[in-house]
């Protein structure tokens, strides 16, 4: 079951809506986020945060903002 949603973030002082998709992955999940033209996959880590997997270079500060936002969203559920 893949559930698309918009992920609002603030990056470099501007609000952006990133397209994201929730993906079931065995007993866990992943969240695919479209950043520019690159799809970055975020998966839960052992500390309760998210780690990013990307095939193209993406600004690490932006990745940390997205990971923090996803962690906050998962805490509220």
């Amino acid at each position: 079951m893949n559930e698309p949603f918009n992920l609002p973030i603030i990056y470099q002082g501007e609000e952006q809506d990133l397209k994201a998709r929730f993906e079931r992955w065995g007993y866990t999940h992943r969240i695919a986020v479209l950043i520019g033209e690159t799809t970055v996959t975020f998966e839960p880590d052992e500390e309760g945060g998210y780690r990013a997997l990307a095939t193209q270079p993406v600004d690490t500060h932006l990745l940390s903002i997205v990971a923090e936002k996803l962690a906050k969203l998962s805490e509220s559920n």
Side-chain angles (χ1 to χ4, degrees), residues 20-41:
R21 182 179 67 244
F22 179 85
E23 302 173 343
R24 270 282 158 218
W25 195 261
Y27 292 103
T28 186
H29 67 278
R30 289 181 168 182
I31 300 173
V33 180
L34 185 62
I35 298 176
E37 294 184 15
T38 303
T39 299
V40 179
T41 302

Side-chain angles (χ1 to χ4, degrees), residues 14-76:
E14 295 182 19
E15 187 170 336
Q16 299 182 20
D17 267 341
L18 303 177
K19 293 180 182 180
R21 182 179 67 244
F22 179 85
E23 302 173 343
R24 270 282 158 218
W25 195 261
Y27 292 103
T28 186
H29 67 278
R30 289 181 168 182
I31 300 173
V33 180
L34 185 62
I35 298 176
E37 294 184 15
T38 303
T39 299
V40 179
T41 302
F42 290 84
E43 60 183 23
D45 63 16
E46 295 77 24
E47 289 83 34
Y50 281 87
R51 67 176 144 246
L53 307 166
T55 57
Q56 301 290 321
V58 179
D59 178 44
T60 55
H61 181 64
L62 176 56
L63 293 176
S64 66
I65 290 171
V66 173
E68 288 175 20
K69 179 75 172 200
L70 293 173
K72 286 180 185 175
L73 289 174
S74 67
E75 286 176 2
S76 65

